[in-house]
Amino acid sequence: MTLIEVVVAMFVLTLALVAMYGMTNFIMREWVIAQSQTDVQQNLRVLLDRLARDARRSSDARVYVAPNASCPAAASGTQCLDFDSTAFIASDVGTNLNPPQEVCLEEADGLVVSGTLFFLSPYKYEAAAISCLAGGCSGSLVCPSGSTKVGFSAPLTYPRQQGEVVTPLPARYELDSGGQVLRNSTPIAAGVMAFTITRPQTTLASAANLGSATISVVSAASFVVNDVIGIGQLAPSSTCATPLETVKEYKEVRTITAISGTTITLNAPLAACHAIGRPVTAQVFTVSVSGSQTTGSGVAQTAQLSMQLRLRD
């Protein structure tokens, strides 16, 4: 080969290598960007999936704006969400003559020894101090597979039936100043720019009496017919008398059948009484989250997702 042929061959080879390098670099850069976008979206999906799980096992939820004592780690001006997580009793236990000191719960996530468990049955409401969990309980009660034994420091007042609802510790979600969403102070999602809860809510303008099929609210503007709403809250100190016994106040779930001004008609009469100022909130609400992640090349990837959550009725 002549010198000219060698130079030409080297020039062509150099062009080919430069082209290959440029293509490889482009493909790698696009892959990193796509992977970063996927990571941002997956991070938000994991957060929403955990929120949905807590919503399905919660009887109520409250929204606060920081600064607030109920969300101490939240960045100022951000919202936080506080669930009243609940669980079902997994099997019948005890009798009137021999009330139980242990029960089986379908789920016990969030319970701790020395905590308090609330039994929400309106006519058999009570609070009990937890003394042991699962294998730490020495009683003879045998729980169904998949459930967890919970023991108390003293026997309960009433026997308990399968399907009754109890409420353990709350699940609190808050966005801190570093872009992390915390669940009960434990980080579960990073790189979050916004955490927004949209939930129709108002309060009672006057007391709602036991047996009433209508309620008067401060404003009904955020509700429509067929909305499912929660009325009142768990408030054992608030009671109303019936011909036979005293009823504790607890949250009741009803469907709106008509709205006239600030008067809401319910699909069924109330089974408890609710004081003026008690919350009236939608059982279905929306959580929107957005996140960001910057690649090694300095390209910022963002994503925004939202999900409708429904509380346990």
Side-chain angles (χ1 to χ4, degrees):
M1 296 178 65
T2 66
L3 179 59
I4 294 177
E5 289 174 331
V6 172
V7 172
V8 171
M10 291 179 63
F11 179 72
V12 172
L13 180 59
T14 300
L15 290 178
L17 291 175
V18 170
M20 290 178 61
Y21 174 79
M23 182 175 295
T24 302
N25 186 57
F26 173 78
I27 292 173
M28 288 298 296
R29 187 168 63 87
E30 290 300 312
W31 182 85
V32 169
I33 292 174
Q35 184 64 41
S36 177
Q37 182 71 23
T38 300
D39 289 345
V40 174
Q41 293 179 347
Q42 183 63 21
N43 189 40
L44 299 181
R45 288 193 186 98
V46 170
L47 171 58
L48 290 178
D49 286 346
R50 188 58 189 266
L51 278 162
R53 177 185 173 189
D54 278 324
R56 286 192 296 269
R57 59 188 288 267
S58 297
S59 61
D60 204 358
R62 290 164 300 281
V63 180
Y64 303 102
V65 177
N68 189 288
S70 297
C71 42
S76 180
T78 63
Q79 292 177 298
C80 69
L81 184 61
D82 192 2
F83 286 112
D84 280 339
S85 56
T86 59
F88 286 124
I89 295 177
S91 59
D92 294 348
V93 60
T95 64
N96 287 326
L97 297 179
N98 186 25
Q101 196 164 344
E102 297 177 329
V103 298
C104 300
L105 297 185
E106 291 184 353
E107 188 171 358
D109 181 32
L111 290 183
V112 294
V113 174
S114 76
T116 302
L117 197 66
F118 297 94
F119 294 81
L120 302 185
S121 176
Y123 296 98
K124 297 189 297 182
Y125 167 84
E126 65 181 311
I130 299 172
S131 62
C132 64
L133 293 169
C137 298
S138 58
S140 60
L141 178 65
V142 178
C143 290
S145 176
S147 62
T148 301
K149 182 189 293 189
V150 180
F152 307 102
S153 55
L156 301 176
T157 306
Y158 307 98
R160 294 296 169 178
Q161 285 77 47
Q162 179 181 0
E164 282 191 56
V165 176
V166 299
T167 179
L169 296 177
R172 183 181 66 245
Y173 288 82
E174 49 193 331
L175 176 63
D176 69 12
S177 56
Q180 294 187 112
V181 173
L182 312 177
R183 181 185 184 274
N184 290 347
S185 302
T186 301
I188 62 170
V192 178
M193 298 185 301
F195 178 70
T196 306
I197 303 103
T198 304
R199 187 183 189 191
Q201 55 189 337
T202 185
T203 56
L204 290 174
S206 60
N209 297 319
L210 184 151
S212 175
T214 62
I215 57 174
S216 177
V217 297
V218 172
S219 173
S222 56
F223 297 105
V224 297
V225 172
N226 293 325
D227 275 353
V228 180
I229 58 175
I231 304 160
Q233 62 190 36
L234 180 63
S237 61
S238 177
T239 60
C240 48
T242 71
L244 298 178
E245 55 190 313
T246 298
V247 179
K248 303 289 187 180
E249 182 180 352
Y250 68 105
K251 178 186 171 185
E252 299 186 75
V253 177
R254 298 289 187 271
T255 300
I256 296 176
T257 58
I259 299 175
S260 177
T262 57
T263 299
I264 294 177
T265 303
L266 310 173
N267 65 320
L270 297 173
C273 53
H274 305 279
I276 183 172
R278 290 289 195 246
V280 177
T281 52
Q283 287 291 98
V284 178
F285 57 100
T286 302
V287 174
S288 300
V289 292
S290 61
S292 175
Q293 180 173 311
T294 303
T295 66
S297 58
V299 178
Q301 295 297 308
T302 61
Q304 182 172 351
L305 297 176
S306 63
M307 176 182 287
Q308 281 197 324
L309 305 180
R310 174 158 184 159
L311 298 171
R312 174 180 284 175
D313 292 346

